[in-house]
Amino acid sequence: MLDVLTGEWMGKVSGLGAGVDSYYEILLKSFVMFGEPQDAEMFHVSYEAIKQHMRRGRAECNSGSGLHPLYVNVEMGTGNTATNWIDSLQAAFPGVQVLHGDLEEAICHHALYYSIWKKYGCLPERYNWKLDAPDVKFYPLRPELVESTYLLYRATKNPFYLHVGRDILIALNNHTR
């Protein structure tokens, strides 16, 4: 978070969720829509930093041993893990990864959020990955996971994502009316 008057950093934690999720999404979508090279370059530099500093877990998504990959909140000065939670707004990032062409990483990241959805019938606002439990349990009907699911289907044509969409729709009808 920046102070708009001084340009100084106010927050010292960075992540892909609340407070910054739209930045990456808009930066890439702006390039897609307007073709400005500086938007593509800013996104590319940011994306490389995200993968280097925020990604945790095994190196390969679908093979190897170790924890399933996820993107964590980090301390900006050190790159150390800052929190033990991820939030529902971060579920937009697999869609951003699809638009960027990083399909394997998008599929992997989406699988994490979908597994949380399946476990709870919706995506908790904040999920503590260390405790394997929600920290903030409400769900304000966010569209991020749905959009990522749609973009993955469009990119892969894999009917699995149609089933995911159906599961989400059924859960919304059953739990949010």
Side-chain angles (χ1 to χ4, degrees), residues 87-92 113-114 116-118 120-127 134-149 164-165 167-177:
D87 66 55
S88 63
L89 290 168
Q90 188 178 332
Y113 279 92
Y114 181 55
I116 296 168
W117 180 285
K118 290 292 285 184
Y120 297 103
C122 69
L123 199 54
E125 186 67 357
R126 189 184 298 170
Y127 182 78
D135 276 349
V136 179
K137 297 179 182 180
F138 66 88
Y139 174 66
L141 299 174
R142 296 201 186 278
E144 285 77 6
L145 183 61
V146 172
E147 182 181 11
S148 290
T149 302
V164 171
D167 287 350
I168 291 171
L169 183 60
I170 288 169
L172 289 174
N173 281 327
N174 290 339
H175 301 298
T176 62
R177 286 183 175 238

Side-chain angles (χ1 to χ4, degrees), residues 16 24-25 28 43 47 50-51 55 71 90-110 113 148 151-152 155:
L16 298 177
Y24 303 114
E25 180 181 4
L28 185 57
F43 179 82
Y47 191 66
I50 288 165
K51 286 186 80 172
R55 191 179 188 282
Y71 292 86
Q90 188 178 332
F93 204 68
V96 172
Q97 291 173 309
V98 168
L99 294 175
H100 184 57
D102 196 351
L103 279 178
E104 182 176 340
E105 207 53 25
I107 290 166
C108 187
H109 195 184
H110 179 272
Y113 279 92
S148 290
L151 290 170
L152 276 162

Side-chain angles (χ1 to χ4, degrees), residues 53 56 72-83:
H53 297 290
R56 302 290 192 269
V72 301
N73 298 316
V74 295
E75 296 173 8
M76 288 175 48
T78 65
N80 293 333
T81 302
T83 68

